Amino acid sequence: MSVASTEDVLSRWLPFRAYTGAEPGALPLYCLPHAGGAASAFRMWQRRLPGVAVQPVQLPGRESRHREPPYERMEPLVSDLADTVLADVEASAAGRRYALYGHSLGAIVAFELIREIRRRGGPAPVHLFVSGSDAPHLTREDGPPVRDMNAKEVAELLRTLGGTPEWLLSDPDALAMIIHAVQADFTVKETYVYRDEPLLDLPISLLTSSADPRVSPLKAAGWSTLTSAHFAPYSFDGGHFAVLEQAARTHAIVAEALRPWV
């Protein structure tokens, strides 16, 4: 792949790559959004973590990539994402060090991304942060497939979860702009199959919320069984998006965990 084509790929997956505000050599933190979410969910995290270059990830089918078809399966998603992260890590001045943050579906994607990079012999992240998600081996989607829902049903699901402006859910034209990505992302989750592999050898921080309608505290705690390294749980008051709504506390947790690396 030429330098020009590599830069084009990185700019599509990491649309705010040039705006981190971080000094050279800062630790990249790749942030993976929730189902239907976009890179803008983490845009305001940039310049909030000293020594850390926050890199919000943009998946196809939304915002700057709205013309691209979204993924509907985990395997091709993490394969292409691994290409991007490894290329960016190699290009950074952080000495092949990086960290991952995933919220909701993004937590499962981050977990599988680490395992894909490990299979390739690439560098593991120094830390994994997960929020809004049951552990991968315990997650289940018991309701009707979101891909089979009509627009009204999808809007009601998003309304229950919170985090989506009511004006968007109430406007059929606006909803039509995001519904395909939402349904595709939920299909990634609904068709996901966990497979046993060796434990991760890196610390995991788990951020849960007291009133999250899609996460079981017991199943979320299962993340602790997926690493042989340190595990740190944190609890927030609020719903599915409490970690984004209470960003200052989330930033403090992330900054403290990454302190040895920045």
Side-chain angles (χ1 to χ4, degrees):
M1 185 181 293
S2 68
V3 172
S5 60
T6 299
E7 285 300 316
D8 178 64
V9 169
L10 292 178
S11 67
R12 286 190 292 115
W13 284 91
L14 306 171
F16 306 123
R17 185 167 174 254
Y19 307 103
T20 64
E23 62 274 17
L27 180 77
L29 173 65
Y30 301 100
C31 298
L32 294 154
H34 54 283
S40 60
F42 295 101
R43 180 70 172 89
M44 298 304 294
W45 287 28
Q46 293 187 313
R47 305 172 186 264
R48 297 291 190 274
L49 295 166
V52 177
V54 174
Q55 296 284 16
V57 175
Q58 191 77 285
L59 302 184
R62 64 220 74 203
E63 292 188 340
S64 58
R65 304 184 69 183
H66 70 278
R67 296 184 184 278
E68 300 178 50
Y71 292 92
E72 295 188 344
R73 294 293 184 274
M74 183 69 75
E75 290 80 3
L77 168 56
V78 297
S79 178
D80 290 348
L81 188 53
D83 291 341
T84 300
V85 169
L86 288 173
D88 192 61
V89 166
E90 292 296 337
S92 80
R96 303 183 86 213
R97 296 178 296 112
Y98 66 101
L100 290 173
Y101 190 111
H103 181 65
S104 195
L105 172 65
I108 307 296
V109 174
F111 173 75
E112 288 296 339
L113 171 62
I114 294 170
R115 303 210 297 180
E116 173 64 17
I117 290 174
R118 181 172 64 182
R119 287 190 288 269
R120 299 185 185 192
V126 300
H127 205 105
L128 170 63
F129 302 90
V130 293
S131 58
S133 176
D134 294 337
H137 60 303
L138 300 175
T139 186
R140 297 289 185 275
E141 293 292 343
D142 298 325
V146 175
R147 61 184 166 186
D148 295 338
M149 291 182 178
N150 59 36
K152 182 178 179 180
E153 291 169 330
V154 172
E156 189 54 39
L157 171 63
L158 296 178
R159 190 173 285 115
T160 299
L161 291 175
T164 305
E166 181 58 36
W167 67 263
L168 191 156
L169 299 177
S170 301
D171 183 336
D173 293 334
L175 182 60
M177 295 179 64
I178 68 166
I179 193 170
H180 187 34
V182 171
Q183 290 179 306
D185 285 358
F186 272 97
T187 300
V188 170
K189 177 75 177 299
E190 291 161 354
T191 58
Y192 170 69
V193 177
Y194 171 85
R195 293 179 173 84
D196 284 332
E197 291 186 17
L199 297 178
L200 300 184
D201 184 20
L202 56 101
I204 296 177
S205 292
L206 168 69
L207 288 68
T208 57
S209 303
S210 60
D212 191 330
R214 292 189 65 85
V215 178
S216 157
L218 184 60
K219 290 182 178 181
W223 282 99
S224 65
T225 68
L226 297 176
T227 180
S228 60
H230 182 65
F231 175 78
Y234 301 89
S235 180
F236 285 65
D237 290 330
H240 191 63
F241 292 98
V243 295
L244 300 179
E245 296 162 351
Q246 301 171 42
R249 184 181 176 213
T250 304
H251 295 163
I253 291 169
V254 172
E256 180 61 29
L258 295 181
R259 190 179 304 279
W261 306 100
V262 300

